[in-house]
Amino acid sequence: MPVVVRVPIVKPHGAADPADAGLFSHWQHDQYPCFACHPAIFPRARKGFTHDEMDEGMFCGACHNGQSAPPASGERAACRKSCHAK
């Protein structure tokens, strides 16, 4: 299992959006067992997804909804600090 996974980009980012694809850190989520996310929320293969899908509660948005975990979108999201870091 890779420690950090770069999420494949499925559609081009806008000019105001971070240019780098999102990162997922297994290490930062190690308090959860693998079956908490696999295969129900995420397949075991790398799969790209959009912010629209996350905002609908899919993929990262299943937890990162502002209630269970910090939001994946919106002004409270830490886009460039967390997910879109270089």
Side-chain angles (χ1 to χ4, degrees):
M1 164 181 64
V3 174
V4 176
V5 176
R6 176 105 26 211
V7 178
I9 295 175
V10 295
K11 72 177 195 179
H13 292 171
D17 298 330
D20 294 315
L23 293 173
F24 173 81
S25 169
H26 282 100
W27 177 80
Q28 288 181 324
H29 294 83
D30 71 347
Q31 69 270 33
Y32 303 105
C34 299
F35 62 80
C37 300
H38 298 291
I41 298 172
F42 290 96
R44 284 196 158 297
R46 280 186 356 139
K47 176 178 174 52
F49 45 88
T50 66
H51 266 275
D52 289 340
E53 290 172 311
M54 287 193 293
D55 293 343
E56 293 170 5
M58 299 169 65
F59 304 106
C60 303
C63 296
H64 287 276
N65 55 16
Q67 296 169 1
S68 300
S73 297
E75 48 184 65
R76 288 182 41 227
C79 306
R80 286 179 172 84
K81 279 184 176 178
S82 299
C83 302
H84 293 281
K86 290 207 178 264

